[in-house]
């Protein structure tokens, strides 16, 4: 019997820019540390002589200061790209950037484990091995960008905004907690 409640990262639909055509190839974003080994390798490659002019831009994490919310700016930036490289961490769980990139209309390349299925948007994820070589990722990104289908991506963007709306996820979470609470209230008390 299942006793866990899964919650997902969410987006504020008001912060997601309207879907628009995009010219840029790909964006790698986020913190660069030992917690994100594939991202660290990809950023090194993107900034190296071999990767510098391959159309894959890097956006470093702005930090967690209390002065400003960076999400609207990040979503606007994502909406300029066809592909977003959204690695998971060494812990292998879905990060918010997967939802954000899909909501912004990007195809998502990720090393998220296959068993972590993202409702409504899993078909938008192109999964790669955490040990893939950076040059292979850049080749894949270019292939995906050249086959970019605006209608398909608009549909995934709409699904992401609808399903991962923070209010919708809150309602689902509350309902699941109430369901489990009801089950526990039915358990007889034993001496």
């Amino acid at each position: 019997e299942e006793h866990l409640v899964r919650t997902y990262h969410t987006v504020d639909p008001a912060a997601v820019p309207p879907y628009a055509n995009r010219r840029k190839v790909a964006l790698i974003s986020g913190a660069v540390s030992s917690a994100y080994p594939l991202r660290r390798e990809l950023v090194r490659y993107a900034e190296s002589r071999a990767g510098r002019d391959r159309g894959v831009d890097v956006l470093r994490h702005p930090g967690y200061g209390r002065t400003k919310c960076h999400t609207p700016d990040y979503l606007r930036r994502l909406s300029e790209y066809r592909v977003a490289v959204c690695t998971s961490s060494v812990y292998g769980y879905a990060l918010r950037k997967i939802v954000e990139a899909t909501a912004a209309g990007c195809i998502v390349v990720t090393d998220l484990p296959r068993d972590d299925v993202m409702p409504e948007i899993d078909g938008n994820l192109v999964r790669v091995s955490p040990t893939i070589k950076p040059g292979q990722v850049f080749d894949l990104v270019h292939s995906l960008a050249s086959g970019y289908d605006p209608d398909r991506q608009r549909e995934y963007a709409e699904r992401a905004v609808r399903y991962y709306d923070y209010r919708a996820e809150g309602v689902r979470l509350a309902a699941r907690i109430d369901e489990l609470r009801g089950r526990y209230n039915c358990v007889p008390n034993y001496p």
Side-chain angles (χ1 to χ4, degrees):
E1 193 172 338
E2 189 177 323
H3 298 284
L4 296 176
V5 176
R6 170 76 187 261
T7 186
Y8 294 92
H9 288 283
T10 59
V11 293
D12 178 354
V16 178
Y19 182 87
N21 288 331
R22 59 255 358 258
R23 299 179 198 272
K24 295 183 180 178
V25 176
L27 181 68
I28 301 170
S29 60
V32 179
S33 72
S34 60
Y36 308 101
L38 179 57
R39 185 182 309 154
R40 186 173 52 192
E41 291 303 311
L42 293 171
V43 167
R44 277 188 197 144
Y45 185 79
E47 294 174 345
S48 74
R49 182 177 305 224
R52 198 169 307 135
D53 296 321
R54 297 206 51 198
V56 179
D57 296 331
V58 173
L59 178 64
R60 302 276 180 152
H61 194 284
Y64 291 105
R66 289 195 253 168
T67 58
K68 178 183 177 188
C69 174
H70 297 277
T71 302
D73 293 337
Y74 178 58
L75 289 167
R76 275 191 294 281
R77 181 88 183 262
L78 279 169
S79 70
E80 299 171 6
Y81 293 87
R82 292 179 175 202
V83 179
V85 180
C86 302
T87 65
S88 63
S89 68
V90 292
Y91 306 107
Y93 56 83
L95 299 172
R96 183 176 183 191
K97 60 180 68 279
I98 292 172
V99 174
E100 292 168 325
T102 301
C106 299
I107 300 168
V108 174
V109 174
T110 183
D111 61 344
L112 182 68
R114 293 187 190 285
D115 63 352
D116 195 352
V117 176
M118 300 294 295
E120 291 295 312
I121 63 170
D122 206 70
N124 188 50
L125 309 184
V126 178
R127 287 185 167 84
V128 297
S129 166
T131 60
I132 191 170
K133 300 294 181 212
Q136 293 173 300
V137 172
F138 279 49
D139 291 345
L140 174 62
V141 159
H142 280 277
S143 174
L144 293 168
S146 68
Y148 187 86
D149 179 348
D151 294 331
R152 178 181 185 273
Q153 292 313 125
R154 182 180 291 110
E155 173 63 29
Y156 274 114
E158 290 169 1
R159 285 184 191 184
V161 168
R162 190 172 45 250
Y163 189 87
Y164 295 95
D165 178 327
Y166 71 94
R167 295 164 296 210
E169 182 63 11
V171 168
R172 278 190 299 275
L173 182 59
R176 183 70 177 125
I177 290 169
D178 282 345
E179 176 189 334
L180 287 175
R181 187 179 317 136
R183 287 185 197 172
Y184 289 122
N185 289 339
C186 294
V187 176
N189 292 327
Y190 293 100

